[in-house]
Amino acid sequence: MADNKYDVVIIGSGLGGLICAAILSKEGMSVCVIEKNEQIGGSLQTFKRDGVTFDTGVHYVGGLEKGQNLYQIFNYCGIMDRLELARMDKEGFDVVMFKNDTKEYPYGMGYDNFIRIMLEHFPTEEASIRKYCNDIQNICRDIPMYNLKAIGSYPEPALFMQSAKQYFDALTDNEKLRNVLAGTNMVYAGISGKTPLYVHALVVNSYIESAMKCTAGGDQIAKLLARVIKENNGTIFRKKKVTRFVVQNNEIDHVLCENDEKIYGKTFISNIHPSVTLDMVQTDLIRNVYRNRIKGLENSVSIFVAYIVLKPNSWKYRNRNYYYSAQDDVWNILAHTDDNWPQCFAIFECAHGKHREHTQGLAILSYMRYDEVQQWENTTNTTLEESERGEDYQQFKKRKAERLFDEIETKFPGFKDCIQSYYTSTPLSYRDYIGSYDGNMYGIVKDFNDPMKTMIASKTKVPNLLLTGQNVNLHGVLGVSVSAVITCTMLLGKEYLINKILAANAQTD
């Protein structure tokens, strides 16, 4: 038992768990991370098909310019100078497109650039565009931890109760501009009656400030963090599935793994979905009313992904992402039926190699609900548990892929001729690899109608159990990284840790 007891035991090796492990091991704590899959990293994972490496979740990253928030966190963790990155097109890193509109609407990088390019398309809307940019930046400034500020008052509740959709409706009478500014809402699965404005602001701001691609794949972030953890004598267990948190004397004593192995710790951090976590913690310390609240929360939608291997030299590398809506109103694209699917897609180019004239592959995403694949939910298919879901499942995926390709062809004529081969994933793939029971993309849905209900704290009623990950505070690489810092402050102290991060960055200025 002495060899199997740690200061901190972290369940799940997603980005949140790895950053917690890197920070706490740097502080001299004995740390172990337990991962059920063969590959660490959660949504940072990559895979290779026909010689092309595909990212499963991290298609581009914001906030990585020197001095920006994610840069400072990664730099403190010791991985920033080893990341292989390429800046995206400053004249349009994201491009918004509509079915019945031949124009493309690019997002410029940097707010001055963003405003200049928007004005080229909406020359009479300068006041609205400038107000939007000012409002987004002001919201971001109002949240201290987003800016790595240890001292600062918690934002007023009104900030979390403002609707994104209602904000855009009030911003301008120009319907097209409203939908262009909200046109990348697939990055947070925007819902017209629920998504708060602050979620839009925190996500979009980081990309406008700086948008980059990981040219060696998103899994390099996980690999570099793992190296830091091991350099600080941390341990990472792969292919170990935790089945239960064992509570003794009103705190967790150890976790029990699938093979009945026990791993002991002083503090435990769960980087898996809160609902799944609660299923594994049997104690009266967590009241049923809390359990029911967490289990009753709505998860975000999932996705269907087509991973395209392109014919050599067939697709010119554009260094930008494309967001397409079949509706003029981008807030309607979640409400698809089997007959009118797909209502949206996003195209992300593989960027492995900084100076490629042509790209080798594309990842193309479109919304898909879990109920659309629920008939196969009793199957599992991972590298550790390989099983066939059946011919009907393969036909379902083929039919969806062909319909998606037809829709893409309308905006990119000749696209289908560029395809050498393709591979697909559904919500079941995300469920099996990421560990969320319905394969959701961005965790729990934030709701401006009842913001406190959908906010999950890092602390739990079990004194030595903490939470981290995309369900705590915010999703995405930046959101999860900030959430991990917040989780670590529960053990290290907010001022202490933030000052350490700022001091580490001051030394490299």
Side-chain angles (χ1 to χ4, degrees):
M1 174 176 142
D3 294 333
N4 223 16
K5 184 164 186 176
Y6 301 86
D7 292 327
V8 183
V9 176
I10 299 170
I11 296 84
S13 73
L15 178 61
L18 292 176
I19 289 183
C20 285
I23 291 173
L24 297 174
S25 65
K26 281 169 66 71
E27 289 299 317
M29 297 183 182
S30 60
V31 174
C32 87
V33 180
I34 309 173
E35 170 56 48
K36 70 171 185 173
N37 290 314
E38 189 170 18
Q39 189 178 159
I40 63 170
S43 293
L44 298 172
Q45 294 177 60
T46 64
F47 67 94
K48 185 172 283 190
R49 292 289 185 273
D50 301 340
V52 180
T53 299
F54 292 98
D55 289 293
T56 60
V58 180
H59 300 104
Y60 66 139
V61 185
L64 279 180
E65 287 282 6
K66 191 169 186 177
Q68 293 174 354
N69 44 17
L70 187 58
Y71 177 99
Q72 293 190 72
I73 295 171
F74 279 4
N75 191 44
Y76 168 73
C77 288
I79 70 170
M80 192 62 225
D81 61 348
R82 291 183 278 185
L83 282 175
E84 297 180 31
L85 301 167
R87 186 174 290 100
M88 298 187 68
D89 189 349
K90 287 189 173 183
E91 295 300 297
F93 62 92
D94 280 345
V95 177
V96 176
M97 310 168 70
F98 300 90
K99 186 182 185 75
N100 297 315
D101 188 343
T102 58
K103 287 185 178 181
E104 296 181 353
Y105 300 91
Y107 284 16
M109 196 183 307
Y111 277 99
D112 289 342
N113 219 25
F114 183 91
I115 291 169
R116 175 182 62 81
I117 292 172
M118 280 293 161
L119 285 175
E120 292 174 3
H121 295 277
F122 303 97
T124 64
E125 291 289 331
E126 182 169 0
S128 298
I129 294 169
R130 289 191 180 277
K131 176 175 169 36
Y132 166 77
C133 291
N134 288 334
D135 289 344
I136 295 305
Q137 293 175 87
N138 287 336
I139 289 170
C140 294
R141 277 192 287 266
D142 282 344
I143 301 179
M145 284 300 291
Y146 183 81
N147 300 287
L148 298 175
K149 292 182 178 178
I151 300 174
S153 58
Y154 194 75
E156 292 294 325
L159 175 66
F160 303 103
M161 299 173 68
Q162 188 172 8
S163 157
K165 174 67 162 58
Q166 290 171 8
Y167 169 83
F168 287 113
D169 287 347
L171 178 68
T172 174
D173 292 332
N174 190 313
E175 184 178 355
K176 180 65 71 175
L177 176 59
R178 293 200 300 259
N179 284 286
V180 167
L181 293 176
T184 63
N185 67 8
M186 279 187 73
V187 295
Y188 52 86
I191 301 174
S192 62
K194 293 186 177 180
T195 301
L197 178 60
Y198 85 89
V199 169
H200 169 91
L202 296 182
V203 173
V204 173
N205 172 73
S206 68
Y207 292 122
I208 293 176
E209 286 188 337
S210 65
M212 299 188 187
K213 281 185 175 286
C214 294
T215 56
D219 65 339
Q220 68 173 308
I221 299 173
K223 291 175 181 176
L224 290 173
L225 287 169
R227 184 189 302 180
V228 171
I229 294 163
K230 291 173 183 176
E231 288 171 351
N232 289 289
N233 300 312
T235 301
I236 299 176
F237 293 118
R238 304 167 191 253
K239 298 188 284 188
K240 279 187 191 292
K241 184 176 181 180
V242 172
T243 58
R244 189 156 63 96
F245 294 83
V246 179
V247 178
Q248 295 180 5
N249 299 320
N250 288 332
E251 65 177 23
I252 296 170
D253 181 68
H254 62 272
V255 293
L256 191 65
C257 297
E258 209 165 38
N259 60 356
D260 291 332
E261 179 183 0
K262 298 176 181 178
I263 299 177
Y264 295 80
K266 297 177 183 176
T267 299
F268 296 80
I269 298 175
S270 177
N271 187 43
I272 56 181
H273 195 287
S275 179
V276 178
T277 302
L278 293 180
D279 285 341
M280 297 193 295
V281 184
Q282 299 305 316
T283 173
D284 293 337
L285 291 170
I286 300 176
R287 298 170 60 188
N288 285 335
V289 64
Y290 178 77
R291 291 180 184 274
N292 293 335
R293 176 171 79 85
I294 298 300
K295 286 185 174 296
L297 293 177
E298 178 185 359
N299 285 325
S300 59
V301 70
S302 191
I303 50 173
F304 176 88
V305 188
Y307 299 98
I308 314 293
V309 177
L310 296 162
K311 295 175 183 176
N313 302 323
S314 64
W315 185 280
K316 185 174 176 60
Y317 185 57
R318 293 161 169 84
N319 198 23
R320 44 179 54 183
N321 312 312
Y322 291 88
Y323 290 87
Y324 165 85
S325 172
Q327 303 289 325
D328 291 334
D329 184 352
V330 298
W331 298 99
N332 281 337
I333 57 178
L334 266 169
H336 65 262
T337 65
D338 184 59
D339 291 334
N340 69 12
W341 189 91
Q343 288 295 290
C344 63
F345 62 75
I347 298 179
F348 302 101
E349 299 172 312
C350 296
H352 307 309
K354 295 182 180 179
H355 305 293
R356 288 190 185 279
E357 185 178 348
H358 294 86
T359 189
Q360 296 177 299
L362 305 171
I364 305 176
L365 287 62
S366 188
Y367 286 143
M368 180 174 281
R369 298 183 304 274
Y370 184 74
D371 66 80
E372 297 175 74
V373 294
Q374 199 159 9
Q375 69 186 86
W376 301 285
E377 69 176 347
N378 292 325
T379 64
T380 302
N381 192 15
T382 68
T383 55
L384 295 180
E385 293 183 74
E386 291 191 54
S387 63
E388 292 296 326
R389 303 196 200 272
E391 180 61 26
D392 52 349
Y393 178 72
Q394 298 304 322
Q395 289 301 316
F396 167 82
K397 292 202 298 177
K398 181 181 179 182
R399 177 169 57 88
K400 290 294 185 180
E402 290 175 351
R403 288 172 61 172
L404 179 60
F405 296 166
D406 287 342
E407 195 76 9
I408 296 167
E409 185 78 16
T410 65
K411 284 297 180 182
F412 296 93
F415 158 75
K416 290 195 284 188
D417 291 334
C418 298
I419 299 173
Q420 177 175 299
S421 57
Y422 71 88
Y423 304 86
T424 56
S425 67
T426 72
L428 295 176
S429 313
Y430 277 77
R431 181 203 65 181
D432 291 350
Y433 278 99
I434 307 304
S436 175
Y437 64 85
D438 58 2
N440 65 82
M441 270 199 301
Y442 301 133
I444 292 167
V445 171
K446 301 292 191 295
D447 189 348
F448 71 86
N449 299 289
D450 192 355
M452 297 309 297
K453 182 179 178 181
T454 54
M455 286 188 180
I456 310 298
S458 299
K459 284 186 175 181
T460 72
K461 293 296 185 181
V462 181
N464 64 338
L465 174 62
L466 300 172
L467 305 177
T468 199
Q470 67 175 357
N471 296 287
V472 181
N473 297 296
L474 194 65
H475 68 271
V477 175
L478 173 58
V480 169
S481 299
V482 173
S483 297
V485 170
I486 292 173
T487 299
C488 289
T489 65
M490 303 297 168
L491 296 175
L492 301 172
K494 184 189 292 185
E495 287 192 44
Y496 173 84
L497 180 54
I498 296 301
N499 287 337
K500 288 288 291 280
I501 294 173
L502 297 178
N505 281 277
Q507 292 173 4
T508 59
D509 285 348

